[in-house]
Amino acid sequence: MSVQMIQPKPAPKLRLKGISKEFIAPRTGQRTLAVADFNLDVQPGEFICIVGPSGCGKSTVLNMIAGLEKSTSGSIEMDGKAISAPGAERGVMFQDYALFPWKSVRDNVGFGLRHGTAGAGMAKAEREDRINHFVQLVGLKGAESKYPHQLSGGMRQRVALARLLANGPDVLLMDEPLGALDAQTRLVLQVELLRIWGETGNKDDRKTVIFITHGIDEAVFLADRVVVMSSHPGRVSAVLDVDIPRPRTEEVRLDPRFAELSEEIWSLIRDEAYRAIA
Amino acid sequence: MSMNVNTRPADVMPPWAKAITLPIILVVIWQAWAMTLPETSPAPAPLKVVQSFVELTASGELVWATLQSLGRVLAGFAIALAAGLSLGVLMGSSRMVRENLDPIVESFRPIAPMAILPIAILWFGTGTPAALTIVAYAAFFPLLINTIHGVSRVDRQLIRAAQTMGISRLRIVIAVVVPAAIPSVLLGSRLAMGVAWTAIIAAELAVGAKSGGGTSGGVGQMMFVFYAYSIDLNGIVVCMIVVGVIALLIDRLFRLVERHLLPWRN
């Protein structure tokens, strides 16, 4: 008899089972199926990127995991418990950052700690330490007292990231967070994001991430697995393992495997992309 | 060498200098014209207006009347603020409330403040309560409309962001909706204060007409007395200038408060 240990597969952090979402237009009553039969298990500490053509329902899936929208059918579970409402354990980073314009950088980062469940019962000193830590981590030292309108796009994005992390969520839901940035800033922040996520550190310390993007190279660079979606209705057309070792640096982009994976994803969405602009 | 636009002589003058140049020229012309009239003419003249201003100030009458009018404006504004804010937050946050109340609000809004004077006088007499009613009525609508606007236009995304931080509904109203609506509320306050000041002068003028003078006080009443009893045009002009200057000061004060309270808007 072999004594080989069979590694039990860890329980998924997130389990999306047969999710669908139907929108009903308020006046006409016209129904649109935005997402159909979406299935996905996400392991703890896994970095998942969802790519797909515009309007494929990527953001809808994210919003349902966040609890901001209800699925029409199917179930979403986190740690085995059904999700029905938003909660601080699932932090969201919005495409437009959604920073509070009347709050300074510091107060934006500490907003959830001050008003939300994440900071309940936390002593003021501890809260301050935490804010300092994340302000420093995302490289905002010295800009703490500025208001969002005084910051560049890249800086705002950092504030949003620090705010997301300061609440200590288990799952990070990121909706095209780098979408509005110029190409150079994007590349820099992709590397930064992996550093902050803890790529170089212990695997168990990493957060579970669902990251939505329309950038194929961005998805390959960041993800452990890439979920490719097709549209009308939005459904999973493929899930690809990105077998490029971590930590990943800029050189990864020159790796032949990087090009292969990018090409494969592109081939999956190419037809739809062309059809969309035809 | 090319001429720089910024160094043109006209732009060397500071804004305040530009603002007073034309008025000074007009006053000089006015005085010149007045000096061609006989000494007994009742027509107002700048020097006589200044003389009248000095006398009215020295006797304390003008200061007292101004304070009375301002006090009424503040009291009426406070009533309007309480009513406008609470109703505005309700109407701005609940579609149901808004759709039910909107027709009522919109049918009262075009009724000029002075048009409710007859009812106000019949109910409250010719004293301060009637004047307050008119001021509060006038100031209520700008406050209400701007509060509704501010509350209902709060960026949905900010509310969603707060929800994902595990912030309760009530706390979201306090920490997100209210601060987001403040710029609109301040704008509404500034407009409300302006119409309140306009309304109080008109109300005092009209209330004075019925009471026969002397009882209700205020700048408007003072003007009425000059008009109906002493036929003092210079006094009336003094009152008009005071009204104008105070309106300007109120406006500037509110802009200053806005800039101070909203450092995050540039």
Side-chain angles (χ1 to χ4, degrees), chain B residues 219-242:
Chain B
V219 179
Q221 174 90 94
M222 197 173 195
M223 283 171 93
F224 180 78
V225 172
F226 286 140
Y227 150 74
Y229 299 95
S230 48
I231 314 177
D232 179 355
L233 267 70
N234 294 306
I236 291 176
V237 172
V238 169
C239 292
M240 286 168 65
I241 291 171
V242 167

Side-chain angles (χ1 to χ4, degrees), chain B residues 174-231:
Chain B
I174 297 166
V176 181
V177 176
V178 170
I182 281 178
S184 276
V185 173
L186 284 178
L187 172 67
S189 301
R190 178 153 59 83
L191 299 175
M193 203 64 181
V195 298
W197 182 244
T198 311
I200 193 61
I201 302 303
E204 286 167 352
L205 257 169
V207 169
K210 188 153 187 282
S211 71
T215 54
S216 59
V219 179
Q221 174 90 94
M222 197 173 195
M223 283 171 93
F224 180 78
V225 172
F226 286 140
Y227 150 74
Y229 299 95
S230 48
I231 314 177

Side-chain angles (χ1 to χ4, degrees), chain B residues 7-21:
Chain B
T7 57
R8 283 210 313 241
D11 284 345
V12 172
M13 255 165 78
W16 62 265
K18 282 191 228 170
I20 61 165
T21 306

Side-chain angles (χ1 to χ4, degrees), chain A residues 4-276:
Chain A
Q4 195 185 354
M5 292 277 283
I6 298 166
Q7 281 279 332
K9 212 177 168 178
K13 190 79 202 165
L14 287 170
R15 167 162 280 175
L16 284 73
K17 229 164 35 188
I19 302 298
S20 75
K21 177 71 183 178
E22 194 175 47
F23 288 107
I24 301 170
R27 251 165 237 276
T28 57
Q30 198 190 350
R31 289 157 184 271
T32 318
L33 193 60
V35 178
D37 194 34
F38 192 102
N39 291 287
L40 184 69
D41 275 7
V42 182
Q43 301 308 318
E46 205 176 9
F47 200 125
I48 299 277
C49 281
I50 303 181
V51 293
S54 304
C56 73
K58 310 181 284 257
S59 294
T60 307
V61 170
L62 196 89
N63 286 337
M64 288 191 285
I65 302 172
L68 292 168
E69 275 172 41
K70 288 202 186 337
S71 60
T72 310
S73 65
S75 71
I76 305 176
E77 287 174 4
M78 177 173 172
D79 296 322
K81 281 188 232 78
I83 286 167
S84 59
E89 71 286 353
R90 280 161 285 128
V92 181
M93 187 161 157
F94 295 89
Q95 194 176 356
D96 56 6
Y97 316 132
L99 299 176
F100 302 107
W102 59 91
K103 291 286 188 194
S104 65
V105 166
R106 208 183 154 72
D107 290 343
N108 260 290
V109 174
F111 198 85
L113 294 177
R114 194 156 155 227
H115 300 287
T117 42
M122 193 180 275
K124 192 166 188 246
E126 192 187 342
R127 200 164 70 203
E128 297 298 305
D129 282 352
R130 216 179 149 96
I131 296 170
N132 288 338
H133 172 75
F134 287 107
V135 163
Q136 182 113 42
L137 185 71
V138 300
L140 280 171
K141 199 111 192 70
E144 290 103 321
S145 54
K146 290 197 168 155
Y147 289 97
H149 81 266
Q150 298 171 301
L151 304 175
S152 66
M155 297 266 273
R156 281 182 219 180
Q157 194 270 351
R158 284 163 192 267
V159 179
L161 183 60
R163 185 177 72 177
L164 173 70
L165 296 170
N167 292 319
D170 246 9
V171 174
L172 311 183
L173 305 170
M174 307 174 90
D175 190 358
E176 293 194 32
L178 310 182
L181 302 175
D182 63 84
Q184 291 88 331
T185 312
R186 263 179 101 129
L187 293 183
V188 172
L189 287 173
Q190 284 168 12
V191 178
E192 283 268 282
L193 183 62
L194 288 180
R195 170 183 69 81
I196 290 162
W197 175 59
E199 195 181 51
T200 52
N202 191 342
K203 206 172 171 202
D204 296 337
D205 294 340
R206 296 177 194 163
K207 306 272 187 186
T208 308
V209 182
I210 312 271
F211 186 104
I212 289 184
T213 175
H214 53 242
I216 293 170
D217 52 342
E218 184 165 278
V220 175
F221 185 77
L222 296 171
D224 290 319
R225 279 194 295 157
V226 177
V227 175
V228 184
M229 284 183 76
S230 59
S231 53
H232 310 296
R235 56 174 89 236
V236 178
S237 61
V239 180
L240 282 82
D241 280 305
V242 181
D243 45 6
I244 299 173
R246 295 186 189 275
R248 294 177 192 161
T249 55
E250 288 298 339
E251 285 79 64
V252 163
R253 298 180 202 279
L254 306 170
D255 193 318
R257 188 71 189 124
F258 186 89
E260 252 174 60
L261 283 163
S262 303
E263 184 51 41
E264 198 177 339
I265 296 169
W266 175 231
S267 73
L268 283 164
I269 57 176
R270 177 172 42 209
D271 290 351
E272 258 192 276
Y274 275 114
R275 235 179 291 136

Side-chain angles (χ1 to χ4, degrees), chain B:
Chain B
M1 225 169 81
S2 73
M3 181 99 150
N4 191 316
V5 184
N6 291 324
T7 57
R8 283 210 313 241
D11 284 345
V12 172
M13 255 165 78
W16 62 265
K18 282 191 228 170
I20 61 165
T21 306
L22 188 59
I24 287 175
I25 293 171
L26 292 176
V27 167
V28 169
I29 294 170
W30 177 18
Q31 179 62 35
W33 168 75
M35 276 152 65
T36 65
L37 301 172
E39 186 56 33
T40 51
S41 163
L47 289 176
K48 288 184 188 165
V49 168
V50 170
Q51 194 192 345
S52 176
F53 175 79
V54 170
E55 282 166 15
L56 288 168
T57 308
S59 70
E61 278 172 275
L62 185 61
V63 175
W64 175 237
T66 307
L67 287 178
Q68 265 187 305
S69 294
L70 272 176
R72 286 179 185 145
V73 163
L74 284 178
F77 178 80
I79 296 168
L81 190 69
L85 274 189
S86 42
L87 196 60
V89 169
L90 264 175
M91 287 178 71
S93 47
S94 160
R95 206 194 161 118
M96 214 251 306
V97 176
R98 183 162 66 245
E99 282 171 356
N100 278 291
L101 289 181
D102 194 62
I104 304 177
V105 169
E106 285 306 315
S107 39
F108 271 98
R109 200 155 71 98
I111 302 174
M114 290 318 293
I116 67 156
L117 186 69
I119 287 187
I121 289 177
L122 287 174
W123 280 351
F124 302 115
T126 54
T128 298
L132 280 190
T133 307
I134 289 155
V135 172
Y137 178 87
F140 173 73
F141 291 100
L143 277 163
L144 178 74
I145 304 297
N146 283 285
T147 305
I148 294 173
H149 178 87
V151 170
S152 61
R153 294 286 182 87
V154 173
D155 186 354
R156 278 288 306 156
Q157 201 72 335
L158 296 181
I159 294 174
R160 285 155 69 94
Q163 285 175 330
T164 63
M165 295 176 202
I167 302 177
S168 68
R169 275 184 81 102
L170 178 66
R171 201 72 190 253
I172 287 176
V173 171
I174 297 166
V176 181
V177 176
V178 170
I182 281 178
S184 276
V185 173
L186 284 178
L187 172 67
S189 301
R190 178 153 59 83
L191 299 175
M193 203 64 181
V195 298
W197 182 244
T198 311
I200 193 61
I201 302 303
E204 286 167 352
L205 257 169
V207 169
K210 188 153 187 282
S211 71
T215 54
S216 59
V219 179
Q221 174 90 94
M222 197 173 195
M223 283 171 93
F224 180 78
V225 172
F226 286 140
Y227 150 74
Y229 299 95
S230 48
I231 314 177
D232 179 355
L233 267 70
N234 294 306
I236 291 176
V237 172
V238 169
C239 292
M240 286 168 65
I241 291 171
V242 167
V243 168
V245 168
I246 289 196
L248 183 72
L249 291 179
I250 289 172
D251 185 79
R252 287 300 132 96
L253 185 72
F254 265 82
R255 281 173 200 270
L256 204 71
V257 170
E258 274 175 47
R259 222 171 308 150
H260 212 75
L261 283 181
L262 309 172
W264 49 278
R265 298 184 115 205
N266 307 315

